[in-house]
Each structure stands twice: as structure tokens, then as C-alpha cells.
């Protein structure tokens, strides 16, 4: 799937189409006022205030019709530069534009605006030459969005859309979007009874038994991987004092995203990240260079005060757990540790089928950062060399590093071509420094030194990764991960006891099996199990199976694998082999 925001030509096309959409809305709703209309990965959106009117999906065809009429008219798009004073006068009746203009620094700032026919809007540009080029677009959906993401401000209508140069590109994109809608983790989460989200508690997930089985399986899988890779698991407090966050730098750079609480006249914050806690463990006793590298893994529950308008299912939440780890090492160990991490990441992604077409990006120093530029340059060079030593190519993302250090980001591609940034490893000279948390070890020269800190995660947020898996597999999870690995269905009630015996036999081997002994007939049970649970193995048992102590297995992908009869022991061993090897099929 193409990222429109990163495609320069398509980005210009979509931003121009946002202006066309705004012009069409203005024609249909003369009192409309507009906030912002940025290009995003999936196209663009525009936030519009229609007073007492709220746009709905039913309004979109009329807006599309007006857009096509305007595009056919073929007006050219003109750029004009005016002063801040002139802009304030021109948009005096538009509070949204006035807000944008007044936040510009200098009184004599040159402001650009673009005009097409009877519509003018503030914009940096660039744009296409004429609206005649804006033929292939589609308005996708409409939702509510608070102005500036603030619930105390007006609710605006946010219209999402996308535009392409070629009609077939638009057709292919819409087909992909249709497939993505079928895979929507929010829909499948309800259908498969995995979790629910409560609007009274935004950004928090209520995991149901089915979903929690998978969540714990995923967490235990990662726990086994990291322990085997030389990590020690730790756990740090959920709430830590303001003084610690001030020393770490998070209070100054991240406070707006932190939940603050007070006790005994002291301020505390619910941790939005785990790194300061890991360093407190490192500092709890005297460390030697012989202790390094020290790899501390933590499935740390974090909470971040994300704006409610940015939340999305279980993909973007306020409360989440990271498969987090912090490696304390010397500079000489950076290359080996980054390479070791890359190999771990590839090993994990392979078990989910994500090891192909992996994208790697090196994010460099942002404007809002701590530490001097020379240290940053040194850190970026070290991470770059380590990445090359791991045999992985990368591209540069200028200015996208964390405030404390550069990072490598690993983006996987799912079954329908969408990109998801998950894994990351960040090189940090700042947090362990004397100016921050002052972590020290005794070197071979018997002097005190500050370690380098590597922040790393393979999956990232377990909640988000679960959402990715739901959509990637469309709910048809590999057997080792599925909440229900085996469904046992009797051909009639006379065989309920044998069905339960089979399920119990498999359960003893830690295979997640359930006997369906209800009153529905066999066909109804199999249809429900296949469509709702997408269970990998459905065992049908009747007189012959009971007499011979066998099972007849219907595989989930019956078109690929014919049904097969197993002895109980052979079927148990078959499933255990698939589960224990984390086989990505069935």
C-alpha cells in the first residue's frame, strides 16, 4: 500500500484536492468555515465547521458531485503572498484562520494563499496548476473532531478522502480499502469476542477471555525469546515521583502526555515509558564493566494522555504494555548489541510471516532534543555502522529521532500491503549521563564511566501488535496463537461424552480445545465455528471415531488440505508440533 504522505507527487495532488473539496463544501454550505486540511498516509482530510449542521456519510455524494463539476470547469490555481496584517484583514470573519495567522511569529511574515475561482485559502503549497487535474478522487468517510483535539472546543466535521492521478490507481486503492474494512480489528474484536472498548474510559481496553488467551500467549512467546537471548526480566513501579521525571528530562519534554497525581504534597506521574525505572535498577548497586552488557527486559504497563480524537481501537490507546528492554553497555559493545537485536527481531517477525520486505529507517536529531550536536552526530554514526554490520540497509528520516537520541525503526508489511512501524532500537547517551540520571560503572581502568543505553522493542505495544495481527490474519490466526486451537463437534448428542473426552485429552497437553455439545445440529455448529471463531482444527466425531478412539479433522483451509483421520495421540502430536515450532500456517 502506498504512503501518500511520503509520495511527493501524490501529496501535492491530495492537498490540492483538499482545497477542491473545501470549495465544493463552501458552495453547498455558504457559512462553512475551515480549520486544517492536511495530507495523511491514506489521503487527506479537512475539518469544517458548519454551525448547527453536522455532516454525515449521506452528504458525501452531493459534495463529490460538486467537486466534479468544479474540476470540469478547470480553473487555474494561483498563489499570492500577503503580509500578516493583510491576512488578518482578509480573513477577519473567520476565527479559525485568524487563530492560525495570529500564531505566526513576525508581524511582517509573508503569508501565502491559493485561489481557484471563487475560493481562497491560506496554504504553504505547492499545488497542481489547475483543478482540471483533480478527476480521480473519492470521499471516504466523515467523523467528528474537536477543534485542536480539545473536548472543551467546538466539534468539527472531519471529511476524509483520497485522490490519484490515474483512475485504475484509485480503483485498486478502494478495493484495498474494502478489504481493510473487512479486516478491521474493531469489528473482528467484537465478532470473535476478543475485547471491548468503553466510551466512558477512552483509550483503555477490556480484554475478554478469548482475547486475553491470545494476549498472554503473545507475551509468553516474547518472554521465552528474550530470556533465551540473554535478557533478565524486571518490573518497575507504575507511578514515580516528579523529581525522577525532571532529572530524566521527561517532565520538560513530555509532561503534556503524562497523567499527574499528587500524594502528601508531592507530585507523581503515571509512567508513560519504562526507561527511568530500568536505570534506577542499574544504579541500585555498584556495577563493573564485567557486568556489561546488562540487558533488562520489562513488560511495562505505560499510560499516556493521548488526545481522545487520536485514539483508534486497540491500535492507539492510552494504556498499553510494551515488550520493552534496556541494554546498558559500553561504546565498544554497541555494534554487537544492535546486530544481536536485529537478529532477534528478524527471528520473531519470521514466526508471523513478517520477515519479508522489512523496511528500516534511521531517525536523526529532532529540533526538540537534549544534548549537544556533536554527541548526536557521534550517536547517529554509531547506530548507522551497527545497522550496516547487521547486514540491514536503511533510509534516513531527518529530524525524527527521540528527544534523547537517534533510533532505528523497523516497519513490517501486512497481508494487504499496509505498512506498520513496530520494532525500534534507540541509542541514548543522555539518560545515563551525569546531567540526567547519572548511571555509572567501574571500568577496567578502575575509574567511573557512564554506560550507553539502548532502548529497544520488537513488537512495540502488545495491544497495537495484537490489532495488527487481527487485521493481517483477518482473524484466522496461526494455531499456536489462536484462542481456540481445536473445536470438537459430535455428529449427534449420543457422542457428546466422547467429544468431551477428546477435548479433555487435548487440554491435558495444553492444547486449547473445546467440545461443542450444545443442542444445535452438527452443520450449524461447524458453520458458526468456522465463521465466528475461525478455529484451525475442527474435529468431527461419531460412532466410528468413538469405537476406534480416533478423530476426523477438518482443517480451516479445507480447499488446501483435505480432511484427515488421526488417532488421538497422533493428532495431539501433530498440533503440538505446529504450536511448539510457532508454525505460521495450520
Amino acid at each position: 500500500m502506498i504512503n501518500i504522505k511520503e509520495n511527493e507527487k501524490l501529496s501535492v495532488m491530495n492537498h490540492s484536492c483538499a482545497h477542491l473539496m473545501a470549495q465544493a463544501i463552501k458552495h453547498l454550505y455558504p457559512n462553512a468555515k475551515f480549520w486544517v486540511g492536511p495530507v495523511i498516509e491514506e489521503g487527506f482530510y479537512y475539518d469544517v465547521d458548519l454551525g448547527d449542521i453536522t455532516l454525515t456519510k449521506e452528504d458525501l455524494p452531493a459534495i463529490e458531485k460538486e467537486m466534479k463539476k468544479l474540476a470540469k470547469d478547470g480553473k487555474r490555481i494561483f498563489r499570492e503572498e500577503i503580509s500578516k496584517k493583510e491576512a488578518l484583514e482578509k480573513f477577519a470573519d473567520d476565527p479559525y484562520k485568524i487563530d492560525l495567522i495570529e500564531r505566526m511569529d513576525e508581524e511582517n511574515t509573508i503569508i501565502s494563499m491559493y485561489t481557484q475561482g471563487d475560493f481562497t485559502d491560506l496554504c504553504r503549497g505547492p499545488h497542481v496548476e489547475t483543478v482540471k487535474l483533480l478527476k480521480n478522487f473519492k470521499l471516504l468517510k466523515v467523523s467528528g473532531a474537536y477543534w485542536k483535539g480539545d473536548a472543551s472546543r467546538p466539534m468539527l466535521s472531519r471529511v476524509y478522502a483520497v485522490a490519484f492521478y490515474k483512475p485504475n490507481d484509485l480503483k485498486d486503492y478502494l478495493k484495498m480499502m474494502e478489504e481493510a474494512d473487512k479486516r478491521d480489528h474493531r469489528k473482528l474484536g467484537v465478532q470473535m469476542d476478543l475485547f471491548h472498548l468503553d466510551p466512558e474510559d477512552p483509550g483503555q481496553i477490556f480484554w475478554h477471555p478469548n482475547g486475553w488467551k491470545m494476549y498472554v500467549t503473545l507475551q509468553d512467546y516474547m518472554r521465552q525469546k528474550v530470556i533465551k537471548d540473554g535478557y533478565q526480566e524486571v518490573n518497575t513501579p507504575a507511578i514515580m515521583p516528579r523529581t525522577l521525571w525532571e532529572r530524566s528530562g521527561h517532565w520538560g519534554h513530555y509532561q503534556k502526555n503524562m497523567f499527574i497525581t499528587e500524594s502528601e504534597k508531592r507530585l507523581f506521574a503515571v509512567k508513560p515509558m519504562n526507561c527511568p525505572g530500568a536505570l534506577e535498577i542499574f544504579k541500585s548497586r555498584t556495577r563493573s564493566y564485567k557486568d556489561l552488557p546488562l540487558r533488562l527486559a520489562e513488560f511495562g504497563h505505560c499510560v499516556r494522555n493521548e488526545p481522545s480524537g487520536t485514539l483508534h481501537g486497540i491500535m492507539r490507546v492510552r494504556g498499553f504494555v510494551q515488550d520493552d528492554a534496556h541494554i546498558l553497555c559500553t561504546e565498544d559493545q554497541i555494534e554487537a548489541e544492535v546486530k544481536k537485536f536485529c537478529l532477534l527481531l528478524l527471528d520473531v517477525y519470521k514466526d508471523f510471516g513478517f520477515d519479508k520486505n522489512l523496511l528500516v529507517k534511521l531517525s536523526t536529531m529532532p529540533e526538540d532534543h537534549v544534548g549537544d550536536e556533536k554527541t548526536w552526530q557521534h550517536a547517529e554514526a554509531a547506530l548507522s555502522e551497527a545497522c550496516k554490520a547487521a547486514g540491514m540497509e536503511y533510509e534516513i528520516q531527518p529530524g525524527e529521532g527521540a528527544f534523547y537520541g537517534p533510533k532505528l525503526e523497523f516497519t513490517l508489511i501486512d497481508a494487504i500491503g499496509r505498512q506498520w512501524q513496530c520494532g525500534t532500537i534507540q541509542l541514548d547517551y543522555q539518560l545515563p549521563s551525569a546531567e540526567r540520571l547519572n548511571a555509572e560503572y567501574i571500568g577496567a581502568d578502575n575509574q567511573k564511566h557512564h554506560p550507553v543505553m539502548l532502548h529497544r522493542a520488537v513488537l512495540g505495544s502488545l495491544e497495537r501488535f495484537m490489532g495488527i495481527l487481527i487485521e493481517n490474519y483477518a482473524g484466522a490466526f496461526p494455531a499456536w496463537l489462536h484462542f481456540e486451537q481445536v473445536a470438537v463437534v459430535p455428529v449427534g448428542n449420543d457422542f457428546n461424552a466422547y467429544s468431551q473426552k477428546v477435548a479433555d485429552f487435548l487440554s491435558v497437553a495444553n492444547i486449547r480445545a473445546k467440545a461443542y455439545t450444545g443442542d444445535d445440529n452438527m452443520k450449524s455448529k461447524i458453520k458458526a465455528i468456522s465463521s465466528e471463531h475461525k478455529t484451525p482444527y475442527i474435529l468431527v466425531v461419531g460412532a466410528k471415531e468413538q469405537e476406534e478412539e480416533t478423530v476426523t479433522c477438518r482443517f480451516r483451509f479445507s480447499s488446501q488440505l483435505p480432511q484427515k483421520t488421526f488417532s488421538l495421540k497422533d493428532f495431539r502430536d501433530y498440533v503440538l508440533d505446529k504450536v511448539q515450532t510457532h508454525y505460521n500456517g495450520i
Side-chain angles (χ1 to χ4, degrees):
M1 176 181 173
I2 192 167
N3 183 331
I4 288 171
K5 190 175 182 180
E6 293 183 353
N7 183 302
E8 184 177 354
K9 190 176 179 181
L10 275 180
S11 181
V12 171
M13 161 72 72
N14 276 262
H15 194 53
S16 300
C17 204
H19 280 224
L20 179 68
M21 183 176 76
Q23 183 181 12
I25 292 173
K26 190 74 173 175
H27 279 199
L28 298 173
Y29 306 91
N31 294 324
K33 291 181 172 59
F34 302 93
W35 174 226
V36 291
V39 176
I40 56 177
E41 291 183 9
E42 301 84 11
F44 64 90
Y45 68 78
Y46 222 125
D47 288 345
V48 54
D49 184 350
L50 300 178
D52 295 333
I53 300 173
T54 300
L55 287 178
T56 67
K57 190 174 182 179
E58 286 68 35
D59 298 314
L60 300 186
I63 298 173
E64 279 190 349
K65 183 178 179 181
E66 184 66 18
M67 289 173 69
K68 290 176 181 176
K69 178 181 174 183
L70 290 168
K72 189 176 181 180
D73 189 37
K75 289 289 191 292
R76 292 185 66 81
I77 302 174
F78 297 96
R79 174 185 171 93
E80 184 180 358
E81 293 183 348
I82 58 177
S83 68
K84 184 174 180 178
K85 181 180 178 181
E86 290 171 321
L88 288 170
E89 292 173 355
K90 184 171 182 61
F91 295 96
D93 62 343
D94 190 331
Y96 298 105
K97 300 305 178 189
I98 293 297
D99 180 82
L100 287 172
I101 297 165
E102 286 183 340
R103 288 190 287 119
M104 296 177 182
D105 294 335
E106 301 296 332
E107 190 65 32
N108 60 353
T109 297
I110 297 299
I111 298 171
S112 61
M113 59 184 188
Y114 283 80
T115 298
Q116 54 202 52
D118 59 1
F119 180 77
T120 299
D121 201 359
L122 292 173
C123 189
R124 295 177 181 175
H127 284 273
V128 297
E129 291 183 2
T130 169
V131 295
K132 197 170 185 178
L133 296 172
L134 307 176
K135 299 177 181 178
N136 307 302
F137 57 82
K138 180 67 178 176
L139 305 194
L140 302 173
K141 61 181 179 178
V142 60
S143 66
Y146 289 112
W147 183 31
K148 298 184 178 181
D150 185 345
S152 67
R153 297 179 185 271
M155 173 70 78
L156 309 180
S157 294
R158 176 170 291 179
V159 185
Y160 290 89
V162 67
F164 286 88
Y165 277 92
K166 298 178 181 178
N168 283 344
D169 289 343
L170 176 62
K171 183 179 179 181
D172 291 344
Y173 182 85
L174 294 177
K175 184 177 180 181
M176 188 281 300
M177 291 292 288
E178 183 181 350
E179 178 62 27
D181 185 63
K182 294 177 184 176
R183 294 167 177 261
D184 190 325
H185 72 279
R186 295 166 296 181
K187 294 180 181 179
L188 290 173
V190 173
Q191 176 187 315
M192 303 181 79
D193 196 21
L194 303 178
F195 60 85
H196 83 270
L197 303 165
D198 187 343
E200 292 296 314
D201 193 9
Q204 306 291 343
I205 305 169
F206 293 80
W207 289 103
H208 296 191
N210 289 347
W212 191 244
K213 286 176 187 175
M214 294 177 58
Y215 190 98
V216 171
T217 298
L218 181 64
Q219 190 176 58
D220 287 346
Y221 163 83
M222 284 306 304
R223 178 172 282 114
Q224 293 168 13
K225 287 288 187 181
V226 298
I227 290 175
K228 185 178 178 181
D229 208 44
Y231 290 81
Q232 300 176 70
E233 187 174 346
V234 298
N235 188 264
T236 60
I239 299 175
M240 291 186 277
R242 170 181 176 170
T243 50
L244 177 62
W245 298 112
E246 285 178 331
R247 296 201 310 274
S248 71
H250 291 93
W251 194 266
H253 292 266
Y254 206 78
Q255 184 184 349
K256 66 179 181 180
N257 293 105
M258 300 167 76
F259 283 97
I260 311 298
T261 186
E262 183 177 352
S263 177
E264 299 178 340
K265 298 182 179 180
R266 294 179 64 202
L267 288 180
F268 296 80
V270 183
K271 67 175 178 180
M273 51 201 62
N274 304 300
C275 14
L279 273 178
E280 290 300 291
I281 291 176
F282 181 87
K283 292 165 54 183
S284 65
R285 69 178 186 84
T286 302
R287 304 284 180 178
S288 163
Y289 71 96
K290 295 179 181 179
D291 297 324
L292 306 182
L294 180 64
R295 308 181 189 98
L296 301 177
E298 179 176 11
F299 294 98
H301 190 275
C302 299
V303 181
R304 297 179 182 175
N305 190 13
E306 303 285 0
S308 59
T310 67
L311 303 176
H312 177 68
I314 65 173
M315 297 285 205
R316 184 162 185 177
V317 292
R318 287 178 173 171
F320 58 94
V321 172
Q322 294 176 307
D323 67 316
D324 213 351
H326 297 90
I327 304 168
L328 286 305
C329 64
T330 67
E331 285 197 62
D332 292 342
Q333 294 169 334
I334 291 173
E335 184 175 310
E337 288 303 306
V338 173
K339 180 179 179 181
K340 183 179 179 65
F341 167 75
C342 291
L343 295 176
L344 170 66
L345 180 138
L346 288 171
D347 182 46
V348 170
Y349 284 8
K350 184 178 180 181
D351 286 337
F352 298 100
F354 291 142
D355 55 320
K356 306 292 191 257
N357 302 319
L358 190 64
L359 305 177
V360 186
K361 297 180 181 180
L362 171 57
S363 299
T364 58
M365 186 178 72
E367 289 186 14
D368 181 20
H369 65 273
V370 294
D372 61 83
E373 190 171 341
K374 183 177 180 181
T375 300
W376 270 85
Q377 291 173 347
H378 181 69
E380 290 168 6
L383 205 55
S384 171
E385 290 304 312
C387 185
K388 292 175 183 176
M392 304 183 81
E393 296 181 358
Y394 64 87
E395 62 179 76
I396 299 289
Q397 287 193 124
E400 293 296 319
F403 73 85
Y404 50 78
K407 59 184 176 179
L408 289 172
E409 295 179 340
F410 301 85
T411 300
L412 54 85
I413 300 174
D414 72 8
I416 58 174
R418 294 174 299 180
Q419 297 181 9
W420 304 95
Q421 192 273 307
C422 294
T424 181
I425 185 164
Q426 304 169 4
L427 176 57
D428 185 1
Y429 286 89
Q430 305 300 328
L431 208 57
S433 69
E435 293 75 22
R436 293 296 169 187
L437 295 185
N438 196 28
E440 297 175 331
Y441 69 92
I442 306 300
D445 58 0
N446 209 32
Q447 299 298 311
K448 291 182 179 180
H449 301 271
H450 297 290
V452 178
M453 191 174 197
L454 297 173
H455 309 247
R456 106 300 169 272
V458 177
L459 306 183
S461 155
L462 268 66
E463 286 74 8
R464 180 170 177 267
F465 198 78
M466 279 285 290
I468 293 170
L469 293 179
I470 293 169
E471 298 197 0
N472 178 68
Y473 294 117
F477 308 104
W480 70 270
L481 183 63
H482 206 291
F483 62 84
E484 181 179 274
Q485 294 163 331
V486 181
V488 189
V489 180
V491 298
N493 291 339
D494 291 344
F495 306 103
N496 281 353
Y498 182 63
S499 297
Q500 192 61 55
K501 177 183 176 180
V502 171
D504 291 344
F505 174 79
L506 297 172
S507 296
V508 169
N510 292 320
I511 295 171
R512 294 186 284 276
K514 178 181 177 180
Y516 284 78
T517 57
D519 292 333
D520 290 344
N521 62 48
M522 180 188 71
K523 288 185 178 179
S524 296
K525 291 175 182 177
I526 291 175
K527 183 178 180 181
I529 293 165
S530 299
S531 62
E532 295 176 13
H533 287 181
K534 307 181 191 297
T535 305
Y537 311 110
I538 300 177
L539 304 183
V540 179
V541 295
K544 183 179 179 182
E545 286 82 9
Q546 179 174 275
E547 180 182 347
E548 298 176 355
E549 291 203 337
T550 60
V551 292
T552 299
C553 179
R554 294 189 179 193
F555 297 91
R556 181 168 57 205
F557 301 117
S558 56
S559 60
Q560 301 174 23
L561 293 170
Q563 68 180 33
K564 183 178 179 180
T565 299
F566 294 85
S567 70
L568 274 178
K569 180 179 179 300
D570 285 349
F571 180 74
R572 177 199 65 192
D573 293 345
Y574 176 87
V575 175
L576 286 177
D577 176 64
K578 302 301 182 186
V579 170
Q580 291 169 357
T581 58
H582 302 108
Y583 181 59
N584 194 40
I586 59 169

